[in-house]
Amino acid sequence: MADYSLGYGGIGSGLDITGMVEQLVAADRKPADNRLNRIESQAKFKLSAIGTVSSAFSTLDTALKALKSPTAFDVRTVKSGTDTVLGATVASGTPTGIYNVEVVELATANKWITNTPVTASQTFGAGQLTLTVGGESLAIDIAEGATLQDVRSAINDAARSKGVQASVLTSNDGQYLSVSADKTGAANGITLTFASGGSDLQSLAASLQERVPAADAEVVIDGLTVTASTNKITEAVPGLTLDLKAKGTSTVTVSTDTAAASKLIQDFVTAYNTAINAINTSTKYNAESDEPSALTGDAQMRSASGQLRSLMGDLLGGSPRRGWTPRRWACRPRAIPRPTAPWCSTAASSPPH
């Protein structure tokens, strides 16, 4: 019988049938793969261009919103003539001008210190003290055999949450009890009095002397007196905050922040030009090399470009109502320095493009 196994399917022939088949299939698929790769490359190219344009428009939107803000041109700067007397901060819309300020009194927090020293080992009999904080009375129980440190701790345990702190001061003569308020202002005064117990506890309470009074701040602004419980004056002039530091006089000058207003306009100019350039770059056509860009001929890009120029036209058309003119808008609003931008370098009467 004849042997037909030799050469069947290439067996024994030395031919790589599998490789040949794979090459034939690959050759058949190559045109389709090339088309798919070309389509994928073009899609990525377009997506990249769209992303660039989208990012530029997002920046332009942010700049336009900032420019259209009701307080865009109400930004203020403030300067204190004497920084050692007071500091000042200002908010948008604060009335501009020069304010003459005299700091008559600073707000202070109440402090009491005993004037009779005691030794570290001295103890007190059982009794009770009364602490008054802003009109509220607290009972301070003192245990038998308490030292001055224990009296301090008893006061803190009862009154720390009320804004009162007791401490023991040590000098060459001995120890002294100090009781002070955290809050400034006349309404936050404190007193510590004897309620019951022995004469030693009574003497301790009686020896307390007021070292710092509870006082309100007092300032005179352009002849008008203003008082406050703290050294921060916030309600005298709308948007103006005065931080009082020492007694004395100072002028406070509030003016329009032209640099901030100019930056808003410059940011918009830059964002507008960037958006236009992004569209032009993504849609341009190189006639010499017959090479289009990623979005050449794209209807949406043409529409976006037209809408952007229309937006600028509308903005320029409404500018006289805000005290500007198209000529001024081409380079600067009234009283604001000229920003640097490509379309500012052309004739002032030409609209940006």
Side-chain angles (χ1 to χ4, degrees):
M1 177 180 295
D3 184 1
Y4 294 102
S5 63
L6 294 175
Y8 180 75
I11 300 176
S13 67
L15 297 174
D16 183 6
I17 301 301
T18 301
M20 294 172 63
V21 171
E22 290 177 350
Q23 291 178 15
L24 289 171
V25 172
D28 185 59
R29 290 185 52 185
K30 187 173 182 180
D33 287 344
N34 288 341
R35 286 194 301 272
L36 290 175
N37 290 336
R38 190 163 52 252
I39 292 173
E40 181 182 11
S41 178
Q42 291 174 348
K44 289 181 178 179
F45 193 27
K46 288 185 177 182
L47 284 175
S48 177
I50 291 173
T52 300
V53 173
S54 177
S55 176
F57 267 74
S58 178
T59 302
L60 177 61
D61 180 62
T62 300
L64 182 59
K65 287 180 179 177
L67 191 63
K68 294 174 65 178
S69 170
T71 60
F73 298 99
D74 287 336
V75 181
R76 300 288 189 257
T77 60
V78 64
K79 179 176 176 58
S80 172
T82 310
D83 291 335
T84 56
V85 172
L86 59 86
T89 57
V90 71
S92 296
T94 299
T96 58
I98 299 176
Y99 300 90
N100 296 304
V101 182
E102 179 185 1
V103 180
V104 179
E105 294 289 344
L106 292 175
T108 53
N110 206 187
K111 177 181 285 189
W112 297 74
I113 301 177
T114 55
N115 63 1
T116 303
V118 299
T119 63
S121 59
Q122 180 176 338
T123 60
F124 299 89
Q128 189 178 82
L129 301 173
T130 300
L131 177 67
T132 303
V133 185
E136 179 182 357
S137 296
L138 302 173
I140 312 295
D141 293 321
I142 306 300
E144 179 70 30
T147 63
L148 192 62
Q149 301 282 349
D150 295 328
V151 174
R152 174 208 60 191
S153 297
I155 296 172
N156 286 336
D157 290 344
R160 195 70 187 92
S161 62
K162 303 297 183 180
V164 174
Q165 180 177 353
S167 59
V168 173
L169 308 179
T170 302
S171 73
N172 294 337
D173 300 327
Q175 294 183 337
Y176 297 82
L177 178 66
S178 172
V179 184
S180 60
D182 292 340
K183 296 181 180 180
T184 59
N188 297 309
I190 59 175
T191 58
L192 182 65
T193 58
F194 173 76
S196 63
S199 59
D200 51 356
L201 191 60
Q202 183 177 16
S203 296
L204 178 68
S207 68
L208 282 166
Q209 288 187 340
E210 187 178 50
R211 302 301 175 91
V212 181
D216 290 336
E218 180 181 342
V219 298
V220 178
I221 303 176
D222 288 345
L224 303 178
T225 299
V226 179
T227 59
S229 61
T230 70
N231 289 312
K232 189 180 291 290
I233 308 297
T234 59
E235 299 181 357
V237 179
L240 178 63
T241 298
L242 302 178
D243 293 306
L244 310 183
K245 301 176 182 179
K247 295 181 182 180
T249 60
S250 177
T251 58
V252 176
T253 304
V254 178
S255 56
T256 300
D257 190 347
T258 56
S262 180
K263 185 178 184 302
L264 287 176
I265 296 176
Q266 183 63 64
D267 288 347
F268 174 77
V269 168
T270 301
Y272 176 86
N273 286 325
T274 299
I276 289 295
N277 289 337
I279 294 175
N280 291 342
T281 300
S282 63
T283 59
K284 69 180 180 181
Y285 175 76
N286 191 328
E288 294 182 359
S289 62
D290 192 27
E291 182 180 352
S293 297
L295 300 174
T296 299
D298 188 278
Q300 289 184 331
M301 288 296 103
R302 289 198 304 269
S303 175
S305 178
Q307 290 178 10
L308 189 56
R309 289 188 171 90
S310 176
L311 169 66
M312 179 56 70
D314 292 342
L315 188 58
L316 292 179
S319 60
R321 292 192 299 271
R322 300 192 66 179
W324 304 328
T325 66
R327 175 177 294 273
R328 286 185 178 273
W329 235 113
C331 288
R332 64 183 185 275
R334 183 171 299 164
I336 293 179
R338 171 178 180 161
T340 303
W343 51 269
C344 275
S345 61
T346 61
S349 58
S350 300
H353 60 278

